[in-house]
């Protein structure tokens, strides 16, 4: 009986942990690198994007978040075959609203010869309520990628976000 209770308790903890896990892609699409390698000759810095959101019907939106991102990619590939990619992003929470600034990278990844479109990960999350900013780590792709783009959202400490608050950044394909 004690073993069964212990097993049930352990299962309940596992469910609780799983329910509060970060909203990151649970894949090996990326790995952390110490800094930009410099061997990928093309790059695009998206610059800062202000995120104004105060509800879908508010006449006076409040700027609540800023975000930025940079994408580097190599030569010798094409849109159909994909590219080796590095990304670096940051987020800055500007409002005291119990929400975080979440910078999200969206991408298509080619694994085992098949494209998986619309994958996402949150490389930078800031929850400081206007008291600083977060610069995320550098990431390099483990697979060929295409259509890499960023968006700024409002969300939680774990990188989860409310899709209705996201502002897409323009990105040429």
């Amino acid at each position: 009986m004690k073993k069964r209770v212990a097993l049930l308790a352990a299962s309940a903890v596992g469910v609780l942990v799983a329910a509060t896990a970060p909203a990151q892609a649970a894949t090996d699409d990326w790995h952390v690198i110490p800094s930009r390698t410099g061997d990928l000759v093309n790059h695009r810095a998206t610059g800062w994007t202000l995120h104004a959101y105060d509800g879908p019907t508010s006449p006076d939106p409040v700027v609540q978040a800023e975000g930025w991102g940079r994408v580097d990619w190599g030569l010798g590939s094409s849109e159909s075959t994909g590219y080796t990619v590095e990304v670096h992003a940051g987020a800055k929470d500007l409002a005291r609203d119990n929400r975080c600034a979440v910078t999200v990278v969206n991408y298509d990844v080619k694994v085992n010869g098949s494209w998986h479109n619309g994958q996402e990960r949150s490389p930078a999350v800031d929850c400081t309520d206007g008291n600083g900013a977060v610069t995320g780590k550098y990431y390099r792709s483990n697979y060929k990628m295409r259509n890499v783009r960023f968006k700024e959202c409002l969300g939680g400490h774990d990188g989860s976000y409310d899709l209705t608050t996201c502002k897409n950044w323009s990105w040429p394909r």
Side-chain angles (χ1 to χ4, degrees):
M1 182 67 174
K2 285 184 181 180
K3 285 184 182 179
R4 185 180 300 168
V5 171
L7 181 60
L8 288 173
S11 297
V13 169
V15 169
L16 180 61
V17 169
T20 59
Q24 303 291 343
T27 68
D28 64 345
D29 293 348
W30 303 93
H31 65 275
V32 175
I33 55 176
S35 65
R36 211 175 124 251
T37 63
D39 65 346
L40 303 177
V41 297
N42 299 300
H43 66 273
R44 167 122 177 142
T46 60
W48 284 96
T49 298
L50 295 176
H51 186 281
Y53 182 82
D54 197 25
T57 60
S58 174
D60 299 313
V62 175
V63 176
Q64 294 179 294
E66 292 179 339
W68 62 268
R70 177 188 170 112
V71 179
D72 293 84
W73 68 96
L75 290 176
S77 296
S78 69
E79 193 69 17
S80 63
T81 59
Y83 303 90
T84 298
V85 173
E86 291 177 4
V87 296
H88 188 218
K92 186 174 183 181
D93 185 4
L94 299 171
R96 295 173 192 249
D97 59 2
N98 295 319
R99 292 189 284 187
C100 303
V102 180
T103 301
V104 177
V105 61
N106 181 286
Y107 56 92
D108 302 340
V109 60
K110 191 173 190 177
V111 180
N112 296 325
S114 297
W115 284 104
H116 302 272
N117 300 330
Q119 302 300 302
E120 293 190 332
R121 136 172 241 111
S122 305
V125 178
D126 179 31
C127 304
T128 60
D129 288 336
N131 295 316
V134 169
T135 301
K137 297 176 181 177
Y138 287 86
Y139 293 91
R140 187 173 176 113
S141 62
N142 290 326
Y143 304 101
K144 297 295 183 178
M145 295 193 176
R146 66 180 182 194
N147 297 328
V148 179
R149 52 215 175 263
F150 291 91
K151 60 185 168 185
E152 188 64 25
C153 306
L154 301 176
H157 294 269
D158 61 359
S160 61
Y161 58 90
D162 177 355
L163 187 60
T164 65
T165 68
C166 294
K167 178 179 180 182
N168 290 320
W169 302 355
S170 61
W171 177 257
R173 290 185 180 241

